[in-house]
Amino acid sequence: MAILDSKGRLFGKISVLDIGAALVILLVIVGVLLPSITGAQLSSNLKPVEVDVVIRSVGAQDPKALLKEGEKTNIIIRNQPSGEVKIKSVKELPRNVAVPQPDGTLKALPDPRPEASLTKDFLVTVAGDAGVTKTGLVLGGNKIKTGVKIELEGFTYDFSELYVIDVRTKA
């Protein structure tokens, strides 16, 4: 008895085309289930993280009035929506200039220019749960590292062109 007969059947019973179709279906099932299995493994390895960003505000609206501590905000990492994070703290940063002193040292003094009052800088710390991988932390399906471009978005604001300045894991 031949392995493959004249009609393309293995051992006279199963068609080679049927085997090929079954393999394609099996590969599709594996391709659909494999990402969800790795996502489940990632979600079991979550750690709380804090992410610091600096917001440079231009205009009349004060970011401290928009970003209230304890509320949630949407985070967009590398132009990809990444879920919600909690606003942990909002601190105004001083606007200083370096002023040379007669003895040759420098002293940081408040910026006296009138246009300096039009902008304010804020250090915003947001907190969320991130998965831990071999290559770093994953927040909302996107890697989060120092220098990564993010956005904070809420009902009445959208702070874009922000960059992560620090990422800390909490035990």
Side-chain angles (χ1 to χ4, degrees), residues 56-59 95 97 111-120:
R56 174 160 279 169
S57 171
V58 177
R95 300 282 300 193
V97 292
D111 194 344
R113 298 175 301 148
E115 63 270 15
S117 65
L118 297 175
T119 63
K120 293 183 180 181

Side-chain angles (χ1 to χ4, degrees), residues 134-148:
K134 291 182 230 176
T135 59
L137 299 170
V138 177
L139 182 65
N142 292 300
K143 288 184 183 178
I144 187 92
K145 299 178 179 186
T146 300
V148 168

Side-chain angles (χ1 to χ4, degrees), residues 95-101 105-113:
R95 300 282 300 193
N96 293 330
V97 292
V99 178
Q101 299 299 304
T105 62
L106 288 176
K107 189 173 184 181
L109 295 174
D111 194 344
R113 298 175 301 148

Side-chain angles (χ1 to χ4, degrees), residues 107-171:
K107 189 173 184 181
L109 295 174
D111 194 344
R113 298 175 301 148
E115 63 270 15
S117 65
L118 297 175
T119 63
K120 293 183 180 181
D121 294 340
F122 291 87
L123 176 65
V124 178
T125 302
V126 295
D129 291 327
V132 180
T133 65
K134 291 182 230 176
T135 59
L137 299 170
V138 177
L139 182 65
N142 292 300
K143 288 184 183 178
I144 187 92
K145 299 178 179 186
T146 300
V148 168
K149 180 182 171 188
I150 70 167
E151 295 180 35
L152 298 178
E153 180 182 60
F155 187 71
T156 58
Y157 61 87
D158 184 3
F159 294 110
S160 58
E161 298 297 325
L162 307 176
Y163 293 91
V164 174
I165 59 169
D166 191 20
V167 178
R168 297 178 299 280
T169 57
K170 296 294 178 184

Side-chain angles (χ1 to χ4, degrees), residues 13-15 19 37 40 50 58 66 80 87-89 102 131 137 142 147 151 170:
K13 298 185 185 238
I14 301 172
S15 171
I19 292 173
I37 292 170
E50 290 181 355
V58 177
L66 297 172
Q80 298 295 320
I87 300 170
K88 187 165 183 185
S89 68
L137 299 170
N142 292 300
E151 295 180 35
K170 296 294 178 184

